[in-house]
Structure formats: structure tokens, C-alpha cells
Amino acid sequence: MDLVIRNAQVVDGSGGARFRADVGVDGGRITRIVPEGAGPRPTGQRVVEADGLALAPGFIDMHAHSDLALLRDPDHSAKAAQGVTLEVLGQDGLSYAPVDDRTLAEIRTAITGWNGDGSDIDFDWRTVGGFLDRLDRGFDGQGIAVNAAYLVPQGSVRMLALGWEDRAATPDEVARMKRLVAEGLEQGAVGMSSGLTYTPGMYASDAELTELCRVVAAYDGYYCPHHRSYGAGALEAYEEMVALTREAGCALHLAHATMNFGLNKGRAPELLALLDRALAEGADISLDTYPYLPGCTTLAALLPSWAAEGGPQAILDRLRDEATAERIRHVMEVEGADGCHGVPVDWDTIEISGVSQPALAAYAGRTVAQSARERGEAPWETARRLLLEDRLGSTILQHAGNEENVRAIMKHPVHTGGSDGILQGAKPHPRAYGTFPQYLGRYVRELGVLSLEECVAHLTARPAARLRLPDRGLVREGYRADLVLFDPDTVAAGSTFESPRTLPAGIPHVLIDGRFVIEDGRRTDVLAGRSVRRTQAG
């Protein structure tokens, strides 16, 4: 065999008890698993002594924003060093395929805060299949750092069909959107995402979304909504998504499923009871979370939806107009904008994590309220200036989470892990570099919220099942050798809010298709990642 890993504690992803074994790898797949004392030990061209390290399937990041990072950074240690071997892109209803020349320019501006402006990227694709082909080519035809799957972004699809208008789609426009979704699924997407607090996706009615979900269901994909509220009306927003997908007969995966802000403190059991009722009635539901309290998005995302109608340039024009800007301020600070989940914005909780213009770097790491006090002005004026001068490219941390909710939700049987990791900015959210070791170190070893076996199942087999991947997510003979070796006693996130790009500890080896992408704790030059495409027939 190519490789034998000896004396590993195999945590196989099933949730069953760990066991000591030798594991053989050949041709990129797991070919032999010999439990201790069960027979002759396999031999290989190379032998790695695990010496009691845990051997698990590669971790699957169910909510990633590496759409351009994978194309600009062959190293991509942010994820590879965590043991992530597969990321799911195309999240929150906004990404770079399908597009035309007009919408590509608009999307690049709208999500600069997520992925940069893309000026360093050759956008030589327009379709979902073209983007997946581009991922396959990666760097000089050698591939990318980790594997990637893709969701058709509903907001990008709506942009193609009717622009940034806040109105109901006509029957012809709905038909076009359905065709675009079907084409994306046929070309390899695993499902469809929405960002229902982001424009223009949030302008879609339930009836429109249901029609698109019927298409997703026909291809055995899943719907992944960032739903309409994580604050005021959060439970109702969850109920809406459950009902909508039940009507469409579509599998549902709830993105970064949290109950945020003070008004939702301690309300996770209500969400879980809703999900349990739907599951008992036969619904196909899963969810992902990150093991941190603050959220992360763009500063522009907090604006009311009417202020974003027409696209990025229209937003900037409204912000420049004094009367309109005052109206925006009133909605955000007094009424609670839909972009801020119906909760009046608290500028003391809005920390600028990154800017796209270097001249504005001093804002990063400070809350809007702190910068406003330093400038001797109202917080809204600081936020408004930053939105205009950074052309909507600023990212934020929103300190709005509740620890008891985070712990309760991660224990649910349909839970999976997702970093929601935005890699841009001077001080990105530490979840981008730390989500998976944070689960294993803090929530398994330190707090005991999950057992090691349960946690590994949440991060491997469950997401693989949601993605309908027949040969990933378990340590099983015949499965792909996407594997992680880590030390359960020392694994920990190195990233913090002060030093968010610090790599984790206790993960010495990571393999994709049997090739070491992390070896002895260091990134190799191996580019074993490829696109992972929908395998079920339509």
C-alpha cells in the first residue's frame, strides 16, 4: 500500500466508540482497517506512527466563504490546518455563478467585504459548471488546497432575472429562475442557497422560493437559507423555512442556525422543539453552526432592504442624500431594520473587522461607537462615512450571540459544523481559522458539551450524508482517504479575536485523497482539492 497509519485511535465518524487500529491507504482510498489484535498488520511504502492520535474523516465545512480565496491562495492554511478537507461555497444567496457581465460587476461590489473585489481574479467563467471547472484547474492545472462543493445562489439568480427590484417576479421571470437553478444543479451544484436578509434575494416571496425549491427537490439537492431573521421574529422565520420546504418536498439545511440578540436569550429549546416536530412528521432537516458568539457580515448588510433596492450604486446614492440618510438612520436606530434582523442597531456591538480601502485601516478592531466617540460625532455619521468611503466594502463582527443557545443547538442530532468564515479584513472573525479545533478543544475536551465521537460525527458523516456523498465522511474501507490525525488532549483553536489568523494546535496531519496537505503540522505544496459535484440523477 501507499501508506499505513499505525496505532491510531480511529474515531470513524459514525458516532460509535473509538477503537485502536492500523489503517492502510492505496490509490487515494482507504483499503485496509485492521483493529488491534485482529490479524496481520498491513504494510506500506510509507508508515506513519499515530501513537494514539485520533484518526477521523476529514472535516466538512458546511458554510464557507472561500469562493475566491481558493483561487487566489494555494496555501489556504486557514482551512487546511483545521483538518477541513471539503468546503461548501455559494452561500447566503450571493456568489459568482451563474452571472453575466452586468451581474458579475454588481456582485463583486456587493460582496467585496466577503471575498475582496476580485481584481486579482480572472473571471473566465459565467456558469456554475464553468466555476467548478475553474476550481478543478486551480493553480496551473494542479487543483486547489481543499475540495469544494457549490450551492446555486438564489440572489444571484434573481439578479439575472429581474435585477435589484423589490417586486414580485412575473411568471416568465420565475420560469427563467427555475431554468437557471436547474442548469446549475445539472452542472454539479449540490443545492441552492438564499440570503433572505440580503438584497436582492430577500425580495423573493415564499411562493417564488417554493417554486425554486421544487426544482432543487427534483435533483435531490437541498435548500440552504440564511432566513429572514435571526433576531426579532427568528422563530417565525425558522417556521417559514420549514413550511416552505415541506410544501416543495425539498430537503432543508438551516445556515448558521442561531438565536441571537438579547430578546432570544434562552430560546433555543423553542427552535429545537419546532425542528423535532417537523422531523417526527417526516421532514428532511439539518443545520450548521459555528462555536462562537459574534456573527460576521458586511456593514452594508445592516441597512434596510428598501435602501438597497437597485443595487450597490443606488445604496451609495441614497447614503449621500441627507434626507434619505436620515430616514435610514431612523429605521436602523429606532425601528429596527430588516437587514439588522428587526432589532434596533446597537453601535457598541458593531465592530469593524476589515475595510477594503487601506486609508481606512484605523477603523478595524474598533466598534462604530468607539470610532464615533474618538471623532466626536454620532455613531450613524461614522457608519455612514465608512459605508461611502469604503464603497460598501467594510466587514463587521456583530456581538449578539447567546452561549446557552450555542450549546443547546450544537447538541441536536441534525447539527453539523460550519465556519461561516470570512477571510477578508485586518481582524476577521476567528471562526474562519478556528471553528473545527474550537469544537474539539473547547466544547469536547474542556466543556464536555459533546463527546469526541459525537462531535466528529457532527463534523464528518452528517454533512457528508446531507451532501449525498457516498464515499466520504467515514473511516471505512473503500472510502476516499480524506483524513485528519489530531491529538484529543491538545487540539485547540489558535485564533482569537485579538489574533484571528493564528493557526490551530494539535492537528499534525491532514490528507486529501491519501496525499498529505498538512504534514507534521506544516502545509505541504500538495494541491489535492477538486470540485465535488452532485452525484444524484435529476
Side-chain angles (χ1 to χ4, degrees):
M1 280 173 278
D2 295 333
L3 170 70
V4 173
I5 301 169
R6 291 201 190 278
N7 296 312
Q9 293 185 62
V10 178
V11 187
D12 67 5
S14 69
R18 71 191 85 172
F19 59 94
R20 188 174 288 266
D22 296 346
V23 176
V25 172
D26 197 58
R29 292 189 179 267
I30 300 166
T31 52
R32 291 283 305 281
I33 301 174
V34 182
E36 187 175 43
R41 307 186 81 173
T43 59
Q45 296 180 41
R46 179 175 178 186
V47 175
V48 171
E49 284 290 343
D51 193 25
L53 293 175
L55 177 67
F59 304 136
I60 298 176
D61 189 341
M62 286 296 286
H63 193 101
H65 288 285
S66 304
D67 304 47
L68 299 186
L70 280 167
L71 297 179
R72 66 164 59 98
D73 178 15
D75 182 83
H76 200 51
S77 286
K79 295 300 178 67
Q82 292 185 61
V84 171
T85 57
L86 170 60
E87 300 184 86
V88 185
L89 314 178
Q91 300 286 351
D92 296 325
L94 290 167
S95 190
Y96 307 93
V99 292
D100 59 18
D101 291 350
R102 171 185 63 85
T103 62
L104 175 60
E106 293 170 344
I107 289 166
R108 286 174 60 180
T109 299
I111 55 175
T112 290
W114 292 356
N115 299 303
D117 64 9
S119 58
D120 55 339
I121 302 294
D122 178 12
F123 289 91
D124 59 353
W125 68 87
R126 294 294 181 268
T127 65
V128 169
F131 178 59
L132 296 175
D133 289 344
R134 179 69 179 83
L135 290 172
D136 285 338
R137 294 197 306 275
F139 298 89
D140 298 324
Q142 299 302 304
I144 49 180
V146 304
N147 295 310
Y150 190 74
L151 297 164
V152 179
Q154 171 257 332
S156 301
V157 166
R158 198 174 208 270
M159 212 181 297
L160 277 168
L162 62 156
W164 295 76
E165 298 179 44
D166 182 2
R167 63 170 175 82
T170 67
D172 284 348
E173 289 165 342
V174 171
R176 185 183 179 200
M177 286 188 280
K178 291 172 71 173
R179 287 195 302 273
L180 287 166
V181 172
E183 288 168 3
L185 291 160
E186 289 168 359
Q187 292 165 13
V190 295
M192 179 180 77
S193 74
S194 282
L196 300 179
T197 66
Y198 299 132
T199 55
M202 69 188 304
Y203 299 141
S205 66
D206 283 2
E208 179 182 316
L209 294 171
T210 300
E211 285 301 302
L212 299 184
C213 282
R214 292 188 199 280
V215 176
V216 176
Y219 287 88
D220 201 23
Y222 69 93
Y223 180 43
C224 180
H226 164 132
H227 52 273
R228 297 192 193 274
S229 176
Y230 292 82
L235 202 62
E236 293 78 7
Y238 282 113
E239 290 173 340
E240 176 191 10
M241 295 298 101
V242 170
L244 184 156
T245 49
R246 294 292 298 278
E247 173 67 21
C250 184
L252 172 64
H253 180 85
L254 296 164
H256 37 60
T258 58
M259 296 282 284
N260 283 341
F261 303 93
L263 77 174
N264 286 320
K265 186 175 182 179
R267 295 189 67 195
E270 297 176 58
L271 166 62
L272 300 179
L274 164 68
L275 299 182
D276 285 339
R277 287 193 298 272
L279 289 163
E281 294 167 359
D284 183 358
I285 301 174
S286 55
L287 57 86
D288 66 67
T289 71
Y290 47 84
Y292 296 88
L293 298 188
C296 181
T297 187
T298 62
L299 182 60
L302 305 183
L303 297 171
S305 58
W306 57 262
E309 184 177 9
Q313 189 55 51
I315 297 174
L316 295 169
D317 291 342
R318 291 186 180 102
L319 288 168
R320 290 189 185 96
D321 180 78
E322 293 295 335
T324 306
E326 171 56 22
R327 184 181 166 207
I328 292 170
R329 182 205 65 78
H330 180 82
V331 172
M332 294 182 70
E333 294 185 347
V334 180
E335 298 176 12
D338 47 7
C340 195
H341 308 279
V343 177
V345 66
D346 178 355
W347 295 113
D348 281 303
T349 69
I350 307 301
E351 178 184 350
I352 303 302
S353 58
V355 294
S356 61
Q357 300 298 319
L360 303 172
Y363 286 96
R366 291 182 170 86
T367 67
V368 171
Q370 286 173 324
S371 290
R373 285 192 289 270
E374 292 170 5
R375 299 180 66 91
E377 63 188 8
W380 164 245
E381 287 307 316
T382 300
R384 179 188 176 195
R385 176 183 294 104
L386 189 54
L387 286 162
L388 286 168
E389 293 182 5
D390 209 25
R391 293 191 59 79
L392 314 181
S394 306
T395 52
I396 63 167
L397 303 183
Q398 188 167 20
H399 295 269
N402 298 293
E403 179 68 22
E404 60 268 54
N405 288 347
V406 169
R407 296 190 193 189
I409 293 169
M410 74 169 63
K411 292 167 69 174
H412 196 273
V414 302
H415 168 266
T416 68
S419 71
D420 196 11
I422 294 174
L423 300 168
Q424 292 294 118
K427 295 191 72 175
H429 197 304
R431 68 193 184 191
Y433 284 72
T435 285
F436 296 86
Q438 177 83 341
Y439 270 118
L440 296 166
R442 177 165 172 75
Y443 286 93
V444 171
R445 184 180 64 249
E446 295 177 9
L447 299 176
V449 175
L450 295 167
S451 72
L452 181 64
E453 290 86 352
E454 287 174 320
C455 187
V456 168
H458 288 223
L459 306 181
T460 60
R462 289 184 191 170
R466 166 53 71 220
L467 295 167
R468 308 283 196 258
L469 302 177
D471 58 356
R472 301 176 196 263
L474 292 167
V475 180
R476 289 281 191 275
E477 291 182 359
Y479 275 55
R480 290 182 180 272
D482 294 355
L483 299 167
V484 183
L485 272 163
F486 66 92
D487 185 344
D489 295 329
T490 63
V491 62
S495 59
T496 64
F497 289 99
E498 293 72 30
S499 300
R501 288 194 169 89
T502 305
L503 297 179
I507 306 178
H509 301 296
V510 181
L511 297 88
I512 296 178
D513 274 355
R515 302 168 67 194
F516 284 89
V517 296
I518 299 291
E519 186 172 11
D520 296 323
R522 294 182 175 85
R523 179 72 171 94
T524 70
D525 60 1
V526 168
L527 295 169
R530 300 292 186 272
S531 69
V532 173
R533 308 191 189 210
R534 187 188 60 85
T535 57
Q536 300 295 318

